[in-house]
Amino acid sequence: MLEHLTTETRNEKTMNLDEMSIFDFLTTMNEEDEKVASAIKKELPSIAKAVEAIIEAKKQGGRLIYIGAGTSGRIGLLDAVECPPTFGTSPDEVVGLIAGGEKAFIKAVEGAEDSKELGMEDLQNIRLTKADIVVGIAASGRTPYVIGALEYANSIEAQTIAVSCNKGSDIGNVANIAIEVVNGPEVLTGSTRLKAGTAQKLVCNMLSTASMVGIGKVYGNLMVDVQLTNEKLVERAKRIVMEATSCTYDTAEEYLAKANCNSKLAIVMILTGLSYEEALHRLEQTQGFIRQAIVN
């Protein structure tokens, strides 16, 4: 029942929320938000296991699939759509699914989250395979849509991860790996878009960023696979090349042009003296890892 869930209990600090001054409420809210990072720290071993599983799935050609309802679904979608511009992935490599479909990102679709069958069908519709890895997100940990998705993924032997904000969650019991971040009650009772939503976003940040590092999408702490889709990103790419190679702005601009706007190739060309074709072959040999490509 809901009353037994940490995410649904009342916060003793805000029992008189409607009588608090704005500053006092904001101070209390800020203090509660500070608890999120500490709660996530306790789950780092589980998050590390999840990252390892995602890396392994990606190396086998599998997709990272986030699935959730409401706020949880929107957070998964947000992380998914940021991966192509940040890491140069194709749109189908990291996928976000939300109960009720894309229209539910803007307006809630009533009842969609209550259907286990819909969760299964949404994964079937994207032709889920055992090579893929599914991350089910639900603050309460009991959303039928997510449970149905995870159960279906398990049935075809795809790896599954659950992200919730309650211990002993239903989705955690279904998934291969459970990440259960307990932040305590929300300042506004049951409003899991607050601390729970923040926790889910931070966990998704970790899952996608750490796994992309693990498959060679980063050199040092530089976004070397960033897609140059606007002027700001073109300039960022030049700075990335400059930082990675200690070259001048003009040299970075020159080699980006030679590398067809591919930051990784430009970096390898500068650091090794290889031609475009040779640098491309070297990166293919090292599965895209710059650090390995420049020492071969």
Side-chain angles (χ1 to χ4, degrees):
M1 299 295 289
L2 286 178
E3 61 265 24
H4 300 303
L5 301 177
T6 302
T7 50
E8 297 294 329
T9 55
R10 296 185 71 183
N11 193 313
E12 294 294 330
K13 292 182 178 180
T14 57
M15 297 296 278
N16 63 333
L17 177 60
D18 57 338
E19 297 178 311
M20 296 171 72
S21 72
I22 292 174
F23 187 80
D24 285 347
F25 169 58
L26 295 178
T27 299
T28 302
M29 191 172 185
N30 181 243
E31 289 171 352
E32 288 296 298
D33 287 342
E34 288 177 344
K35 297 177 180 180
V36 177
S38 296
I40 289 175
K41 186 175 183 178
K42 296 175 183 177
E43 289 298 298
L44 287 179
S46 295
I47 297 171
K49 287 181 183 177
V51 170
E52 290 168 358
I54 294 169
I55 291 171
E56 186 57 33
K58 295 294 294 174
K59 286 181 177 178
Q60 302 304 316
R63 295 170 292 177
L64 168 58
I65 299 163
Y66 293 116
I67 189 162
T71 297
S72 299
R74 294 182 188 99
I75 287 169
L77 271 168
L78 180 62
D79 202 63
V81 300
E82 291 290 352
C83 285
T86 306
F87 300 110
T89 58
S90 66
D92 60 355
E93 283 186 66
V94 183
V95 179
L97 299 175
I98 184 170
E102 291 184 2
K103 60 186 178 183
F105 189 88
I106 298 173
K107 185 178 180 180
V109 176
E110 300 301 328
E113 70 176 60
D114 297 326
S115 171
K116 290 176 70 173
E117 292 74 21
L118 186 58
M120 176 184 72
E121 290 170 7
D122 281 353
L123 290 181
Q124 289 175 331
N125 288 337
I126 63 167
R127 295 179 174 82
L128 184 76
T129 74
K130 63 187 297 183
D132 298 323
I133 188 161
V134 178
V135 179
I137 312 172
S140 68
R142 62 188 293 277
T143 307
Y145 173 79
V146 178
I147 294 172
L150 292 172
E151 288 177 342
Y152 174 69
N154 286 340
S155 74
I156 66 166
E157 300 181 349
Q159 270 275 33
T160 52
I161 300 166
V163 179
S164 73
C165 294
N166 283 292
K167 281 294 180 186
S169 66
D170 291 346
I171 64 171
N173 290 332
V174 172
N176 302 135
I177 301 169
I179 300 168
E180 297 174 329
V181 183
V182 181
N183 310 288
E186 300 287 3
V187 293
L188 183 63
T189 306
S191 184
T192 52
R193 67 189 179 86
L194 301 176
K195 286 192 295 185
T198 299
Q200 291 170 330
K201 180 63 171 74
L202 292 176
V203 170
C204 287
N205 286 350
M206 288 178 165
L207 295 179
S208 58
T209 306
S211 61
M212 291 299 165
V213 172
I215 60 171
K217 294 290 185 178
V218 173
Y219 178 53
N221 62 355
L222 299 172
M223 296 189 295
V224 290
D225 266 327
V226 64
Q227 297 298 288
L228 313 190
T229 55
N230 58 48
E231 282 302 317
K232 179 190 75 174
L233 295 178
V234 169
E235 290 304 309
R236 178 177 292 167
K238 292 173 187 176
R239 292 198 303 274
I240 287 170
V241 173
M242 292 168 66
E243 289 285 346
T245 65
S246 299
C247 74
T248 65
Y249 180 92
D250 289 343
T251 299
E253 187 173 49
E254 174 190 349
Y255 274 84
L256 273 171
K258 289 181 178 179
N260 291 330
C261 296
N262 185 311
S263 303
K264 256 186 181 176
L265 278 173
I267 291 167
V268 173
M269 290 168 68
I270 293 171
L271 292 179
T272 63
L274 296 173
S275 67
Y276 173 87
E277 292 78 12
E278 291 169 332
L280 183 61
H281 180 63
R282 182 74 64 83
L283 279 171
E284 289 172 350
Q285 285 182 316
T286 59
Q287 288 77 52
F289 284 87
I290 289 179
R291 200 170 296 280
Q292 296 175 18
I294 62 177
V295 297
N296 268 8

